Amino acid sequence: MILDRFRIDGQVAVITGAGRGLGAAIALAFAEAGADVVIASRTRTELEAVAERVRGVGRRAHVVAADLAHPAATAELAGQAVEAFGRLDIVVNNVGGTMPNALLNTSTQDLTDAFTFNVGTAHALITAAVPLMLEHSGGGNVINISSAVGRLAGRGFGAYGTAKAALAHYTRLAAADLCPRVRVNAIAPGAILTSSLAVVAANDELRTPMEKVTPMRRLGDPEDIAAAALYLASPAGGYLTGKMLEVDGGLTFPNFELPIPDL
């Protein structure tokens, strides 16, 4: 059965930024497909709510409340997965983000911080995880969450877009180094209706124009990204490495303009 290729029964996944939004949706999708999960973010109460949903579908969840802006804290998750469940198969680098700002108001430190949070944390977890994947599972795979803004030019995203573009190419480079035993792919979401777009979701004057310029005429749901992550994590995506899935409703230009004036 082709649907069996989307199963990840008995595997263990580490998912960062999993207290809500994309990370939470990916954790639940993996659990429904048979995996146990290590979920991490800053807020324990959010993580516990996700863990309860994971346990509700019959899988195990290990909660780690930590400030994942620091690469050292992220790297520790690999060992915690092996301690909790005895193996590590999948890593999802979902944590990241940077506040938008006009380019001339973006400092060099802002750019450095964006790179550390979006790329440095992913590198720290991958380099800690891969030896453990090889030792305990014989191989594994990594999914990095980039962004449509990593390839589309929009005002205000100088730091964030640059960091996500770097993560996209890092994915290709890491895949080349780690194949064939560890696959590395990425997802580039467009505008997804998570808490970061709560204001948009509640305001038709903001949401409708965004939907109108999106070829699919809607904004994304977290489950759209979770389904893509499951494909990449499972045997169904077993012939992909170094690739980027653009799950963005068909965007060819940003569907949200920040009010940054001309010079």
Side-chain angles (χ1 to χ4, degrees):
M1 293 290 291
I2 190 66
L3 291 180
D4 292 340
R5 292 180 63 83
F6 291 86
R7 299 293 305 178
I8 47 176
D9 294 294
Q11 296 192 34
V12 172
V14 168
I15 303 153
T16 64
R20 56 184 177 177
L22 302 186
I26 292 169
L28 187 59
F30 283 8
E32 290 175 351
D36 298 319
V37 296
V38 175
I39 52 176
S41 72
R42 287 190 180 93
T43 307
R44 180 172 292 277
T45 53
E46 291 180 344
L47 290 169
E48 292 291 356
V50 176
E52 189 65 24
R53 295 178 67 191
V54 167
R55 294 169 187 137
V57 298
R59 303 309 305 180
R60 297 176 293 174
H62 179 67
V63 167
V64 180
D67 184 355
L68 301 180
H70 303 290
T74 310
E76 292 177 357
L77 297 174
Q80 292 184 35
V82 173
E83 290 176 9
F85 298 129
R87 61 186 293 156
L88 176 57
D89 304 274
I90 305 162
V91 164
V92 180
N93 285 304
N94 172 62
V95 73
T98 302
M99 289 298 293
N101 206 350
L103 189 70
L104 296 184
N105 295 329
T106 300
S107 68
T108 302
Q109 188 60 51
D110 292 334
L111 200 62
T112 298
D113 291 344
F115 187 87
T116 298
F117 193 28
N118 292 276
V119 184
T121 55
H123 178 68
L125 181 50
I126 290 169
T127 53
V130 167
L132 297 177
M133 288 176 169
L134 297 177
E135 178 183 355
H136 296 280
S137 301
N141 71 84
V142 174
I143 302 165
N144 297 322
I145 305 299
S146 181
S147 171
V149 182
R151 67 181 177 88
L152 304 175
R155 286 183 176 179
F157 296 106
Y160 179 70
T162 298
K164 288 302 191 182
L167 182 61
H169 195 51
Y170 173 91
T171 297
R172 301 180 189 102
L173 296 168
D177 271 21
L178 300 177
C179 65
R181 295 175 68 187
V182 176
R183 297 188 293 111
V184 187
N185 293 290
I187 300 170
I192 309 297
L193 289 170
T194 64
S195 58
S196 63
L197 285 184
V199 173
V200 170
N203 188 328
D204 288 343
E205 291 184 3
L206 294 174
R207 179 171 175 164
T208 300
M210 292 178 67
E211 292 175 332
K212 186 175 181 180
V213 300
T214 302
M216 290 301 294
R217 301 295 188 262
R218 69 174 178 90
L219 303 185
D221 294 317
E223 289 75 17
D224 293 320
I225 307 304
L230 179 59
Y231 169 61
L232 292 175
S234 70
Y239 199 47
L240 279 76
T241 195
K243 301 304 179 185
M244 176 77 62
L245 292 187
E246 297 172 358
V247 187
D248 57 16
L251 292 178
T252 56
F253 56 87
N255 58 2
F256 181 71
E257 290 289 334
L258 293 169
I260 296 177
D262 292 347
L263 293 180

